[in-house]
Amino acid sequence: MPAAGLTIAEAAATLGLTSDTLRYYEKDGLLLRPVPRSSSGHRRYDESDLRWIVLVTRLRATGMPIRDVRRYADLVRAGDGNELPRLELLQAHREQVLQQLAEVTSHLGAIDHKIGIYEDRLRRLEISA
Amino acid sequence: MPAAGLTIAEAAATLGLTSDTLRYYEKDGLLLRPVPRSSSGHRRYDESDLRWIVLVTRLRATGMPIRDVRRYADLVRAGDGNELPRLELLQAHREQVLQQLAEVTSHLGAIDHKIGIYEDRLRRLEISA
DNA sequence: GCTTGACCTGGAGTGCACTCCAGGAGCGAC
DNA sequence: GTCGCTCCTGGAGTGCACTCCAGGTCAAGC
């Protein structure tokens, strides 16, 4: 009978994280619950753990600080009744991300312009060579 | 007779940085030259200094590490003849930024979806109240 | 029954990019 | 001539997010 759930190494590979990071997230209160253990005390991640950690990685990858992920996890862990603060937290993050995207896009435009200048210059050097 | 160029505080305000950061960039080799000094040894930033630092902030704001900005500054400082490596560095960075933008945008889509779910749920709670 | 390998814990260490600080100098205003 | 301001330097300190390590447990395979 195979054990239910993934080992920490399997979960890490699936999620694109390291085992160390998974332990760190758990210790830091980013997960909804202590990950269940096998009889020998090893972590076993089930589907709901993985689904949550995927969300955590999305929040992290869009620049949300650990401390805000923890605040969000705290809210979800607290159960029903605080949907509004959860929504507000996500909406605030969304605004941040949009602003960040706009800023980066605009800077990228300027960098692209500079790239164009170098390309022109190099084309001309090539021709005159 | 007013001195030519901005003081470090003025330059910092103009660029949206701090004086400490400007000194740090200079010490770390991110600038094209040591910033010229007044007779009393205070930095005076001229237009060319500012233009370069604007580029530095664009590179930084799009996620280029300090060490790569320094490599780019080294190339520019070395003068004509290495346009190709400069171009390649910028193009590589461009690809990074595009990939980053795509990734963030995709994660944002998933977060938006979650926001939609909360909005629906809250709307329903409101109606049934 | 002993080795091997994956996992455990608490805690120390790392890399990055600033940010702050102590001690000191120059300069205009009073 | 001294107060207050801005600036200088070298170097220490900070916050963040991991990442690594020592020393130990446990189950499976030989």
Side-chain angles (χ1 to χ4, degrees):
Chain A
M1 199 85 312
L6 304 185
T7 66
I8 193 168
E10 291 165 345
T14 302
L15 293 161
L17 300 171
T18 67
S19 301
D20 274 322
T21 300
L22 283 176
R23 288 194 205 94
Y24 163 63
Y25 281 178
E26 183 176 346
K27 190 169 11 176
D28 234 50
L30 270 56
L31 305 193
L32 295 184
R33 58 169 188 182
V35 176
R37 307 302 182 103
S38 71
S39 61
S40 57
H42 292 195
R43 290 172 178 81
R44 287 293 135 83
Y45 294 80
D46 77 12
E47 226 176 282
S48 72
D49 296 312
L50 295 187
R51 262 202 311 275
W52 174 258
I53 300 169
V54 166
L55 174 58
V56 169
T57 62
R58 288 194 195 287
L59 295 174
R60 292 288 305 119
T62 50
M64 184 183 285
I66 292 283
R67 120 185 53 92
D68 291 358
V69 178
R70 182 168 44 235
R71 288 209 302 122
Y72 185 64
D74 288 346
L75 288 173
V76 175
R77 215 180 298 112
D80 290 351
N82 57 14
E83 280 78 4
L84 188 57
R86 290 190 216 171
L87 175 59
E88 286 169 348
L89 194 154
L90 291 183
Q91 281 173 336
H93 179 57
R94 177 171 193 275
E95 289 312 309
Q96 286 263 315
V97 175
L98 286 175
Q99 196 182 323
Q100 180 73 5
L101 282 175
E103 203 178 310
V104 168
T105 301
S106 133
H107 287 317
L108 183 61
I111 293 168
D112 276 347
H113 182 69
K114 207 157 185 67
I115 287 178
I117 290 170
Y118 275 121
E119 283 172 345
D120 276 7
R121 204 193 300 183
L122 282 168
R123 234 192 314 279
R124 233 165 286 158
L125 283 174
E126 233 167 75
I127 288 166
S128 75
Chain B
M1 199 86 311
L6 303 185
T7 66
I8 194 169
E10 292 164 346
T14 302
L15 293 161
L17 300 172
T18 67
S19 303
D20 275 322
T21 299
L22 283 176
R23 290 194 204 94
Y24 163 64
Y25 282 176
E26 184 176 345
K27 188 166 17 171
D28 234 49
L30 270 56
L31 306 193
L32 295 183
R33 58 169 189 182
V35 177
R37 307 300 182 105
S38 71
S39 61
S40 56
H42 291 195
R43 291 173 179 80
R44 286 295 132 84
Y45 294 80
D46 77 13
E47 227 175 280
S48 71
D49 297 311
L50 295 187
R51 262 201 311 275
W52 174 257
I53 300 170
V54 166
L55 176 57
V56 169
T57 62
R58 288 194 196 287
L59 295 175
R60 291 287 306 118
T62 50
M64 185 183 285
I66 292 282
R67 119 185 53 92
D68 291 357
V69 178
R70 182 169 44 235
R71 287 208 305 122
Y72 184 65
D74 289 346
L75 289 172
V76 175
R77 215 181 297 113
D80 291 352
N82 56 17
E83 280 78 4
L84 188 56
R86 291 190 217 172
L87 176 58
E88 285 169 348
L89 194 155
L90 291 183
Q91 281 172 335
H93 179 57
R94 177 171 193 274
E95 289 311 309
Q96 285 261 317
V97 176
L98 286 176
Q99 197 182 323
Q100 180 74 4
L101 282 175
E103 203 178 310
V104 169
T105 301
S106 131
H107 287 317
L108 183 60
I111 293 168
D112 275 348
H113 182 69
K114 206 156 184 67
I115 288 177
I117 290 170
Y118 275 120
E119 284 172 346
D120 276 6
R121 205 194 298 186
L122 282 168
R123 233 192 315 279
R124 231 164 287 158
L125 283 174
E126 232 169 74
I127 288 166
S128 75

